[in-house]
Amino acid sequence: MCSSDLLEWARDGEARRAPLKFEDQPLKIKRRKRSELPVLHPLLEGFQERLNEGRESYFNPFIRPIKRLLPDIITSKEMAHRTIDVANELYLGLETHGHQVKFSPHVQTLWRRTVDEREKVRGGNHNSDLWSPSRPTLVFIGNVAIGLTVYEMTEYVEVRHIDGEYIKITDLTPQQLKKAARPYSWTSTQDMPSGRLCIQASSPYQGTQWSQQWQEAKADDFPGKLPAIIKELEIASATIAKQVEEAERKAEIQRQQLEQQREIERKRWEVEKSKQALEDAEQIGRASCRERV
């Protein structure tokens, strides 16, 4: 980690975030030409190999890499190449606009928003067993961080259970259709990989709520929509900065109230301590008088 990554530090280990400021004037950020950037973003180097080493999750066919310090990407093996390509285009597109994409710095507590991979969220319990990285993947627009997750969505479709696995009814081959007619094969409805991707962006700062998702309506929507998404992220950085400012204002009020309450408790304790000391002294005095008598 280079020294420029140091965003928070405190002697007692409890850092307080420096206030984020967002100027009304456009950010003066140096853009970069695509030719100045590598073909593959540094965060993605070796990522395909890490996916190959992983296993599928228990509740879904998405890959769970063994290593956790990896880009925030969730995909099935079948979609891995395309998901990586889209993430690469997003990361490099942000870099060309002068916005650095990197892992969350060690010294700063920034939060990752959880992912619900379902294209259409339904009610009830949902066990997905999705892999999650040890540190969020962030884009820094000025000094404002935004969390990024690229993931493959699932769709709720009819499937047929054949030879120990669920297969979409629409994907059944003629040979599988013959097997589907057997008594030990059955039809149900499951969340299955859709082949369509979603980009989730969110504020990583405690006390803020901003988040946004961009879903593919069809499998080739990305990377065509990425320039518009990057523009929305640039605009959103101002909203996040304001939310951080409001969250810090509320946190400061709570801190002051807590200090006031602690001071009240301290004074009450001192009064009780003085009262007890006086009573103890009186008891000692009475005992001394009795001894003299």
Side-chain angles (χ1 to χ4, degrees), residues 57-62 74 114-131 151-156 189-193:
S57 297
Y58 181 79
F59 291 102
N60 56 60
F62 293 129
I74 300 169
T114 57
V115 170
D116 189 329
E117 78 283 3
R118 296 174 293 177
E119 188 174 27
K120 296 180 180 179
V121 177
R122 306 181 306 280
N125 295 329
H126 175 59
N127 294 320
S128 62
D129 190 36
L130 292 178
W131 171 85
Y151 64 94
E152 182 180 359
M153 297 181 292
T154 60
E155 55 184 351
Y156 197 55
T189 311
Q190 301 279 345
D191 289 300
M192 299 292 289

Side-chain angles (χ1 to χ4, degrees), residues 206-223:
Q206 188 173 8
T208 62
Q209 300 297 323
W210 182 90
S211 68
Q212 180 69 45
Q213 291 182 340
W214 296 270
Q215 296 182 348
E216 283 190 318
K218 54 183 184 298
D220 59 352
D221 279 355
F222 298 150

Side-chain angles (χ1 to χ4, degrees), residues 55-225:
R55 59 176 178 83
E56 291 185 348
S57 297
Y58 181 79
F59 291 102
N60 56 60
F62 293 129
I63 305 172
R64 291 182 64 87
I66 298 173
K67 188 177 178 181
R68 293 194 62 207
L69 183 56
L70 293 172
D72 196 350
I73 297 173
I74 300 169
T75 180
S76 63
K77 287 186 177 180
E78 291 75 15
M79 279 286 292
H81 286 294
R82 181 168 178 267
T83 308
I84 293 172
D85 286 344
V86 169
N88 188 51
E89 288 299 314
L90 174 63
Y91 296 172
L92 293 180
L94 288 163
E95 296 276 359
T96 60
H97 282 69
H99 312 311
Q100 189 177 11
V101 179
K102 61 182 180 179
F103 294 129
S104 172
H106 281 295
V107 292
Q108 191 175 24
T109 302
L110 296 172
W111 306 98
R112 175 188 183 265
R113 189 178 185 87
T114 57
V115 170
D116 189 329
E117 78 283 3
R118 296 174 293 177
E119 188 174 27
K120 296 180 180 179
V121 177
R122 306 181 306 280
N125 295 329
H126 175 59
N127 294 320
S128 62
D129 190 36
L130 292 178
W131 171 85
S132 62
S134 58
R135 290 159 61 189
T137 298
L138 306 172
V139 56
F140 283 85
I141 300 178
N143 64 332
V144 179
I146 303 178
L148 295 175
T149 306
V150 180
Y151 64 94
E152 182 180 359
M153 297 181 292
T154 60
E155 55 184 351
Y156 197 55
V157 294
E158 280 194 334
V159 295
R160 191 75 181 179
H161 187 270
I162 301 173
D163 295 337
E165 64 176 329
Y166 290 100
I167 303 171
K168 293 181 186 178
I169 295 292
T170 55
D171 292 345
L172 291 174
T173 64
Q175 184 178 3
Q176 289 169 335
L177 284 170
K178 291 179 181 179
K179 291 183 178 181
R182 297 171 182 174
Y184 48 81
S185 176
W186 65 86
T187 299
S188 63
T189 311
Q190 301 279 345
D191 289 300
M192 299 292 289
S194 66
R196 296 183 295 276
L197 302 179
C198 180
I199 294 172
Q200 176 173 283
S202 60
S203 171
Y205 301 102
Q206 188 173 8
T208 62
Q209 300 297 323
W210 182 90
S211 68
Q212 180 69 45
Q213 291 182 340
W214 296 270
Q215 296 182 348
E216 283 190 318
K218 54 183 184 298
D220 59 352
D221 279 355
F222 298 150
K225 291 184 176 181

